[in-house]
Amino acid sequence: MRRKWLGIAGGVVLVAALGVAAFLLLRDGGTEESSGNSGEESSTASISLVSQESNDVTSIDVTNSTGSFEVVRTAEATDDGNATYAIAGWEDLPTDTSTIWTLPNNASSLEADGVVEENCSDLAKFGLDEKTAIAVTLHFADGSDYTFRVGNAVSGGGDTYVAPADTDTVYTVRTSLVANFSKASTDFLSKTVLEEPAEDDYPIVNSVKVERKDIDYVLELDYDKNSADSDSLSGSVATHVMVSPVPAYLSPDRSKDVTNGMFGLKADGIVYPHPTEEQLAETGITDPFATATMACDDGNTYVLKIGNRFTEKDDSGAETAYYNIYLDGVDVIYRIAESDCCWATVTPTDVASRLVLATYVWNIGDLTVKAEGEEDMHFEVNATSKKDAAVKLNGKEIDAERFRLFYTFLLKTVAEEVKLDGDTSGTPLAEIQLSTKDGKELHDYTFYKIDDFTCLIAVDGQSAYTTRMSYLDTLRSNMEIFDTDQDFATNWS
């Protein structure tokens, strides 16, 4: 019994002793972890390698596998913000300020997680030999310098090997603190081709013109002042209209990128900063495939030149098409995915609304409708709203609501596609002439036969769209029943 009690007591003492030992180890931070390489140690206590203020970095020299470059301070810190930096020689180019700021910010007060090896005789195994390592030298406002080397990433962890230039002691630091020193100099240039203005400073885009070698016309979209006029009773919901190659209303969803897409446009990469004449010619910018010109009401005009198209394959074999582009005033040739460069491929059909007419009914002054085999209908409209609408048909007063329903059918006149080369020399099958009471709109829509199923719509004498021949059958039918109480047809096959 006594022997059993002594055994229990001894066990309690042993457990207590182990507990005390564990406590002392934890208190002293005596932990050990493997970093995947023999002889590597790390401490939970950080080790300061350099301790300076980020804003006091005046320049940084970097040499990595892509070459050598210098980061320079372009403006000192103010009460409102940090110092600003740029790549030396490219101070005039848009800089990715958030990325370049990581260099002085992370390295000026660099701390190591632990010591791997002191007086290391084989720096190459850590990627810290002269041929492999990234060399970084920080220059500070007080005249001091600090140089260190960046090597390989630690296997299986989030650390990277570093070594100060004046010692062969190898440390580990968090990879996130030094990763950007491996970037090429061009990676610190902004890929935003044209900054998007603040909402309260956003200009009106007065016009966008697209000229291309694969089309024989200028695509021009102009700002529709009626879109911003709260008292206006005409126009479409798009902010712009097409004025060339044909007058047309626009689809707001499909035209927005063309009219406003230069603002905030982001490239996929930098091809050449400060390109030479040879590089401008090589990339197709000297004689561009396309030019997009955006004129704004703040007096600024932006000219985007689109050069050569090329394709690249990714690791999976998928092919992506790109264009070289150049914005006048920003001396950089960018590359941009074809899918983001709408001006290189857009056609009138892509952006045009299917609406042929879009004038609000009570904004009409005069409307004339003619169709082969039917009596001409000339409407005179005097109205500001449905309540006070007065309408005459061929000089006789008629029910304004009947006119409104008939015009609802006309509004459903739809374009199947844009057609610029239609024959307008024949005898028209039908014609719609419309003018607004304020005199701002005056349009003539003329219909010509193309074949038994399709007809051409000319706008103001110019070939513009196609529509179905069955539309004209429905138009004639609705004209015939105007003086009755029959419902107007609004659909056709």
Side-chain angles (χ1 to χ4, degrees):
M1 179 71 177
R2 174 180 174 83
R3 205 176 282 176
K4 184 175 181 182
W5 183 88
L6 287 173
I8 294 172
V12 170
V13 171
L14 178 60
V15 170
L18 290 173
V20 170
F23 171 77
L24 291 173
L25 284 170
L26 290 171
R27 184 190 65 181
D28 293 338
T31 60
E32 197 174 274
E33 61 181 17
S34 171
S35 58
N37 288 284
S38 60
E40 297 170 7
E41 295 182 359
S42 63
S43 171
T44 57
S46 60
I47 303 166
S48 176
L49 300 180
V50 58
S51 182
Q52 291 267 20
E53 292 294 324
S54 303
N55 291 314
D56 289 337
V57 176
T58 57
S59 65
I60 308 173
D61 301 319
V62 180
T63 298
N64 59 29
S65 61
T66 69
S68 298
F69 59 92
E70 181 185 10
V71 177
V72 293
R73 188 173 66 181
T74 55
E76 295 184 18
T78 65
D79 293 339
D80 297 327
N82 292 316
T84 58
Y85 295 84
I87 301 298
W90 297 341
E91 293 90 341
D92 61 318
L93 302 180
T95 300
D96 185 341
T97 54
S98 61
T99 301
I100 204 168
W101 170 245
T102 65
L103 303 186
N105 187 53
N106 293 349
S108 59
S109 55
L110 191 63
E111 293 184 342
D113 293 334
V115 176
V116 177
E117 185 175 338
E118 295 182 352
N119 301 317
C120 179
S121 59
D122 185 12
L123 292 171
K125 69 181 179 179
F126 301 109
L128 290 168
D129 56 304
E130 187 175 340
K131 293 182 179 180
T132 307
I134 297 170
V136 180
T137 299
L138 304 172
H139 302 279
F140 297 99
D142 62 5
S144 63
D145 300 328
Y146 181 71
T147 301
F148 64 96
R149 292 160 286 179
V150 181
N152 299 332
V154 178
S155 176
D159 286 348
T160 292
Y161 300 114
V162 300
D166 58 356
T167 176
D168 289 334
T169 299
V170 177
Y171 299 88
T172 56
V173 302
R174 280 182 291 143
T175 299
S176 60
L177 296 177
V178 294
N180 284 345
F181 286 104
S182 65
K183 290 182 178 293
S185 55
T186 52
D187 291 332
F188 297 99
L189 294 178
S190 174
K191 294 183 180 65
T192 300
V193 181
L194 180 62
E195 289 289 341
E196 186 162 12
E199 187 174 349
D200 58 356
D201 198 34
Y202 207 104
I204 292 174
V205 177
N206 283 334
S207 69
V208 172
K209 296 180 181 179
V210 178
E211 301 167 86
R212 286 206 311 267
K213 288 184 176 180
D214 64 336
I215 54 178
D216 59 1
Y217 55 84
V218 176
L219 176 65
E220 181 175 351
L221 312 181
D222 284 2
Y223 179 66
D224 180 10
K225 294 180 180 179
N226 288 327
S227 67
D229 184 358
S230 59
D231 296 326
S232 173
L233 298 177
S234 66
S236 68
V237 293
T239 56
H240 291 71
V241 293
M242 188 188 302
V243 297
S244 174
V246 292
Y249 297 108
L250 298 177
S251 162
D253 294 335
R254 290 183 279 110
S255 63
K256 187 176 180 180
D257 285 347
V258 180
T259 57
N260 293 69
M262 280 194 209
F263 288 129
L265 181 64
K266 292 187 181 298
D268 287 84
I270 309 293
V271 180
Y272 293 120
H274 289 170
T276 63
E277 292 297 326
E278 291 77 10
Q279 290 167 340
L280 289 168
E282 169 202 328
T283 53
I285 301 301
T286 302
D287 182 21
F289 162 71
T291 301
T293 304
M294 177 176 69
C296 301
D297 72 340
D298 59 4
N300 289 315
T301 297
Y302 303 95
V303 179
L304 183 69
K305 295 176 181 177
I306 302 170
N308 295 338
R309 181 182 184 273
F310 59 97
T311 59
E312 289 184 356
K313 290 184 179 180
D314 61 20
D315 294 339
S316 68
E319 193 170 76
T320 302
Y322 297 91
Y323 283 96
N324 296 312
I325 63 171
Y326 182 93
L327 182 68
D328 280 0
V330 182
D331 201 19
V332 178
I333 297 175
Y334 302 91
R335 55 180 257 166
I336 187 171
E338 184 177 53
S339 58
D340 295 326
C341 192
C342 57
W343 308 276
T345 57
V346 65
T347 67
T349 302
D350 292 336
V351 295
S353 167
R354 296 189 69 196
L355 291 175
V356 177
L357 288 79
T359 303
Y360 185 68
V361 60
W362 304 129
N363 201 29
I364 295 173
D366 289 274
L367 176 70
T368 299
V369 182
K370 302 177 182 179
E372 188 179 49
E374 302 297 330
E375 181 182 356
D376 295 352
M377 303 175 74
H378 176 65
F379 299 94
E380 299 171 75
V381 184
N382 185 8
T384 58
S385 68
K386 182 177 180 179
K387 293 180 179 179
D388 64 1
V391 182
K392 291 183 179 180
L393 170 57
N394 296 335
K396 297 181 180 180
E397 288 192 10
I398 60 169
D399 178 30
E401 176 62 11
R402 187 66 175 169
F403 167 74
R404 187 192 69 81
L405 292 172
F406 180 70
Y407 185 68
T408 298
F409 156 71
L410 295 182
L411 286 176
K412 293 182 179 292
T413 307
V414 295
E416 299 290 337
E417 63 179 24
V418 173
K419 186 174 179 61
L420 305 179
D421 58 353
D423 182 5
T424 60
S425 62
T427 302
L429 300 179
E431 187 174 6
I432 300 173
Q433 298 171 331
L434 183 151
S435 62
T436 54
K437 60 188 177 186
D438 59 9
K440 292 182 178 180
E441 290 185 49
L442 177 62
H443 294 298
D444 185 1
Y445 306 92
T446 312
F447 297 76
Y448 299 89
K449 181 177 179 179
I450 294 177
D451 55 41
D452 290 342
F453 304 99
T454 312
C455 62
L456 172 73
I457 305 176
V459 179
D460 301 333
Q462 184 177 355
S463 175
Y465 314 108
T466 64
T467 193
R468 299 178 189 181
M469 188 67 75
S470 55
Y471 165 78
L472 293 183
D473 296 333
T474 308
L475 173 63
R476 283 189 285 266
S477 175
N478 284 338
M479 292 174 70
E480 290 175 0
I481 65 171
F482 188 90
D483 290 330
T484 73
D485 57 0
Q486 295 182 51
D487 293 336
F488 294 117
T490 56
N491 295 296
W492 52 92
S493 58

